[in-house]
Amino acid sequence: MPRRYAVNCSILFTELPLLERAAAARDAGFEAVEFWWPWPEAPVPSESEIDAFCQSIEDAGVRHIGLNFYAGDMPAGERGVLSDPARAAEFRESAGVLERIAERTGVRAFNALYGQRLDGVSAAEQDRVATQNLAFAARRVAAFGGTVLVEPLARGLNGAYPLETAADAIAVLRRVDEPNVKFLFDAFHLASNGDDLERVVREHAADIGHVQIADAPGRGAPGTGGIDFGALFRALDEAGYDGWTALEYKPDGPTGFGWMKEWPA
């Protein structure tokens, strides 16, 4: 089946200001974009910042297919706040911002990074808080047809982040037990932690809500590492995955897409 590629504009086109990246993706031939949370310093940006972000996507004429919940200060190494009892309010406040962006841009998939383990707070308490916050988020975005995504991250790169494998993420899905909480299949993170990508697709196809790709090791473009993308794409096709495949890799130099000649859309 035809592959639908989207560009993650928080890791690609970073040679440009944030508000110019959706247009750059369009000019490179893409029809869809996704972003991490654009304002790492705050869960609730100003109205003018929200408006400028939405306007940049509208002006570019591309589909907005993915956005993160507030995840703390990602440039400083934070990877989510939803499991932190002291910061649950920040996560929930960002849900209102996502709702306003969804009204403007049509985005319906929202990545909720779990957060690293904390000193002085038991893992059980963090998991309890995370479950409550994910259920809250699921109900909030369900009102407009949204999906909450749960993502494992590469071991050693993201602090004591407790979701490392597909099994870790699926366990969270089962614990939350909301139909619109899905598994974010990120080829780089899963491969980095030793998961068999094709097996994960076969065993958890019904749980996959979104796919992101980068090669491993290195998180470069497909073809720069050891992942067999031909086999992975065949597995996704055989499993009936028909969603977007988001490009979330670190380019070697100015953003380019020469690798797509081997695996075209």
Side-chain angles (χ1 to χ4, degrees), residues 81-102:
V81 299
L82 73 89
S83 62
D84 184 346
R87 303 183 71 183
E90 296 175 41
F91 174 78
R92 294 191 177 210
E93 287 170 351
S94 75
V97 178
L98 294 186
E99 190 172 44
R100 297 205 296 277
I101 295 172

Side-chain angles (χ1 to χ4, degrees), residues 187 191 197-198 215-216 222-223 225-235 262-263:
L197 300 183
E198 297 161 64
D215 217 330
I227 294 177
D228 184 343
F229 281 96
L232 173 59
F233 291 153
R234 284 192 297 274
E262 185 170 354
W263 298 292

Side-chain angles (χ1 to χ4, degrees), residues 3 18 24 55 63 89 107 125 145-146 200 254 263:
R3 200 156 314 286
L18 178 72
Q55 193 66 50
R63 292 184 61 178
V107 62
E125 175 63 7
V200 170
W263 298 292

Side-chain angles (χ1 to χ4, degrees), residues 91-180:
F91 174 78
R92 294 191 177 210
E93 287 170 351
S94 75
V97 178
L98 294 186
E99 190 172 44
R100 297 205 296 277
I101 295 172
E103 290 174 354
R104 285 278 301 272
T105 70
V107 62
R108 293 293 183 268
F110 306 100
N111 186 12
L113 291 176
Y114 201 85
Q116 291 107 325
R117 290 306 194 200
L118 304 168
D119 293 333
V121 181
S122 70
E125 175 63 7
Q126 284 190 255
D127 290 340
R128 184 189 68 80
V129 171
T131 300
Q132 290 181 337
N133 283 326
L134 286 167
F136 163 85
R139 292 190 293 267
R140 185 73 178 262
V141 306
F144 54 87
T147 298
V148 176
L149 300 169
V150 175
E151 180 182 24
L153 297 182
R155 184 182 304 119
L157 300 178
N158 300 285
Y161 190 88
L163 309 186
E164 297 181 343
T165 65
D168 293 334
I170 299 303
V172 173
L173 267 58
R174 302 292 180 260
R175 194 168 70 235
V176 176
D177 194 26
E178 294 285 350
N180 64 326

Side-chain angles (χ1 to χ4, degrees), residues 178-256:
E178 294 285 350
N180 64 326
V181 178
K182 295 292 186 179
F183 169 39
L184 198 167
F185 179 104
D186 184 302
F188 164 73
H189 291 303
L190 295 171
S192 295
N193 292 341
D195 264 339
D196 181 322
L197 300 183
E198 297 161 64
R199 180 178 179 179
V200 170
V201 171
R202 289 194 303 270
E203 294 184 352
H204 300 294
D207 294 305
I208 295 174
H210 187 47
V211 171
Q212 295 175 331
I213 60 170
D215 217 330
R219 204 174 188 178
T224 61
I227 294 177
D228 184 343
F229 281 96
L232 173 59
F233 291 153
R234 284 192 297 274
L236 287 165
D237 290 344
E238 290 168 2
Y241 179 75
D242 60 359
W244 293 94
T245 298
L247 314 183
E248 198 191 37
Y249 60 82
K250 297 178 180 179
D252 182 14
T255 300

